[in-house]
Amino acid sequence: MENLNIYNPVKIHFGGGLIGEAGKIAKKYSDTALIVTGKNSMQKSGTLGKLVKILKDAGVAPIIFDGITPNPTINEIDSAAGIAKEKKAGLIIGLGGGSPLDSAKAVAVAAKGNIPVWSYLKTPAEEALPVITIVSTSGTGSEVNRYSVMTNPETGEKPGFGYECMYPKEAIIDPEIMLSMPPYVTAATGFDVFVHAFEAFTGKAKNAFSSAYCMQVFYLLKDNLVKAYDEPDNIEARGNMALASALAGLAIDISGVGIIHAMEHPVSGNYPNVAHGAGLAALTIESMKYNLESCKRDFMLIAHHFGIKRAGKSEDEYAAALIEKIQGILAALNLNIGLKDLGVEKSKLAKIAGEAFTTMGFAVQNNPAEAGEKEVLKLLEASY
Ligand code: NDP
Ligand code: MN
């Protein structure tokens, strides 16, 4: 029997229109909030304007930092932290996809200290400003976990980090905000949810708690991942994908990710125009083939949750049927792509393989099948 320590303190508010509660929630923490968001989408959809009004009406003064780019850089985070300090913000509100939410958590740490955010990879953070997440993609699961992923633009390194003080205090998951996601964002972020659940469910650190979340995620993905893409206005499908995102975010908070994420981070770290979920899409099928023998039973269980009929299939055939199913889903999402399609240069694959270990070593170690740098390079080549 293994010992387990399970902890997640995030208060979750799920429901259509719940952004309306943001003022009341924010007021519990501070009278001054720094909103950390991206450059376009939340302005265009009107969500940022709405949030500003909601906060003001509740007596919370909003300060806006709207300089976060997809795959956020440490420079953006340090700038936002500087503003939080200067304006004495007592609360950080992340508004947007994983990039602004991850940034909000990192800003909350950096605003409490006197060192650049990159230093916190080595120096554990003991305290952070309170964070509220208002998520607009589904997604990274960042809305409910402690992780933050940031890029050093000088080197291309893109590590993830997460300390206990970085858990958001409260998460507002309002699927109406997700209705404006364009098809490509819906597809890429939705596929990210699958990879979180797949890697948490098959990884060495899996346990009963994370597996319970993952099984519900597979079940939700089966009926809603492609539907949300095909029917962007379907609020039911959007809501189910938002639930799946949060559940998978809780699962990786407990059990971590694996080799697919370990390889993807250096891909989008070195090529910031690559959407995280699209990078994952390029890497998943070869990684599934690589892992199949190490966790065949898990593949079969996932196949079952995806509604694949066992019929007369042998164990090998049934496990392999899951890979075919995922290939079909990728095709339906228009994400049947290789690294080449994402603009990755072949000459960069060795650097990417190295960084999978230096920046995401814990994820390689968590992978069900053992892999050294040679094997990772081979996987990258096969995914090209
Ligand atoms: P992003 O937050 O990077 O957003 C991607 C794009 O979608 C942006 O152009 C953004 O616009 C746009 N967008 C976001 N929401 C909407 C919306 N509702 N309507 C229209 N457009 C929208 O995408 P992700 O959510 O995939 O986050 C990716 C980041 O999260 C990566 O850095 C990844 O490594 C990290 N990550 C973190 C994890 C964690 O556990 N913390 C786990 C997995 C990944 P704009 O920029 O204008 O806002
Ligand atoms: Mn991910």
Side-chain angles (χ1 to χ4, degrees):
M1 197 169 52
E2 68 177 316
N3 296 345
L4 296 173
N5 295 295
I6 308 293
Y7 175 74
N8 186 298
V10 185
K11 260 187 207 160
I12 300 172
H13 309 270
F14 173 86
L18 276 190
I19 191 172
E21 305 286 304
K24 207 171 69 191
I25 294 170
K27 185 75 178 172
K28 291 197 272 180
Y29 300 95
S30 180
D31 292 338
T32 312
L34 179 72
I35 301 172
V36 175
T37 193
K39 291 188 170 171
N40 298 299
S41 69
M42 293 299 99
Q43 295 83 337
K44 227 172 115 190
S45 67
T47 311
L48 177 61
K50 205 170 173 180
L51 176 62
V52 164
K53 181 170 185 317
I54 290 165
L55 291 172
K56 282 184 179 163
D57 287 349
V60 177
I63 308 149
I64 298 171
F65 182 89
D66 60 359
I68 300 297
T69 55
N71 307 310
T73 67
I74 48 177
N75 307 335
E76 294 159 11
I77 294 165
D78 281 326
S79 300
I83 294 171
K85 277 185 184 175
E86 186 194 314
K87 307 270 186 192
K88 300 195 166 45
L91 169 68
I92 310 293
I93 301 179
L95 172 68
S99 297
L101 303 195
D102 282 7
S103 300
K105 295 178 223 175
V107 168
V109 164
K112 272 283 189 183
N114 291 308
I115 53 176
V117 72
W118 192 251
S119 311
Y120 287 102
L121 295 176
K122 291 231 169 76
T123 310
E126 303 290 343
E127 50 172 3
L129 288 174
V131 171
I132 294 172
T133 54
I134 305 177
V135 60
S136 72
T137 62
S138 50
T140 63
S142 181
E143 59 273 22
V144 294
N145 67 35
R146 66 193 188 282
Y147 300 132
S148 176
V149 183
M150 56 188 183
T151 298
N152 180 337
E154 311 245 299
T155 61
E157 292 168 286
K158 190 187 182 199
F161 74 119
Y163 301 114
E164 200 166 302
C165 64
M166 289 164 70
Y167 279 107
K169 293 281 182 228
E170 311 207 18
I172 298 176
I173 306 174
D174 178 347
E176 286 173 15
I177 300 174
M178 297 159 194
L179 289 168
S180 60
M181 270 193 281
Y184 187 69
V185 176
T186 302
T189 59
F191 194 71
D192 192 16
V193 177
F194 168 72
V195 182
H196 292 160
F198 175 75
E199 297 205 293
F201 193 73
T202 57
K204 289 191 184 127
K206 69 175 288 181
N207 63 43
F209 290 88
S210 56
S211 297
Y213 288 135
C214 292
M215 285 192 273
Q216 182 66 21
V217 173
F218 299 132
Y219 185 66
L220 287 166
L221 290 178
K222 164 177 150 308
D223 292 327
N224 297 285
L225 174 52
V226 175
K227 195 183 258 179
Y229 178 71
D230 286 341
E231 302 170 25
D233 297 331
N234 186 327
I235 188 69
E236 208 57 40
R238 292 287 195 191
N240 284 327
M241 284 306 296
L243 284 174
S245 167
L247 291 167
L250 292 170
I252 59 172
D253 196 45
I254 296 170
S255 294
V257 288
I259 205 169
I260 310 176
H261 272 82
M263 293 189 289
E264 199 298 311
H265 282 209
V267 167
S268 53
N270 284 284
Y271 296 91
N273 289 330
V274 171
H276 170 62
L280 296 173
L283 296 161
T284 292
I285 297 300
E286 290 303 323
S287 305
M288 287 181 83
K289 289 184 196 162
Y290 184 78
N291 279 326
L292 188 143
E293 280 305 318
S294 312
C295 49
K296 203 180 289 170
R297 290 251 130 213
D298 294 333
F299 271 59
M300 291 168 64
L301 263 172
I302 301 172
H304 173 75
H305 280 89
F306 267 96
I308 303 170
K309 293 271 176 291
R310 173 90 189 249
K313 292 185 188 73
S314 68
E315 290 199 348
D316 282 345
E317 286 166 346
Y318 194 43
L322 176 67
I323 302 183
E324 271 167 50
K325 176 80 184 175
I326 299 307
Q327 252 162 341
I329 289 176
L330 284 170
L333 296 174
N334 275 313
L335 281 177
N336 223 336
I337 48 175
L339 293 173
K340 190 177 172 196
D341 302 311
L342 294 171
V344 176
E345 297 142 289
K346 213 160 195 177
S347 57
K348 276 272 174 75
L349 295 186
K351 179 176 191 275
I352 290 168
E355 284 171 19
F357 288 82
T358 52
T359 61
M360 293 289 286
F362 56 90
V364 184
Q365 271 158 31
N366 189 37
N367 195 64
E370 301 298 326
E373 219 169 302
K374 206 176 81 198
E375 287 77 23
V376 166
L377 183 56
K378 266 200 184 151
L379 275 176
L380 288 165
E381 284 165 354
S383 306
Y384 197 71

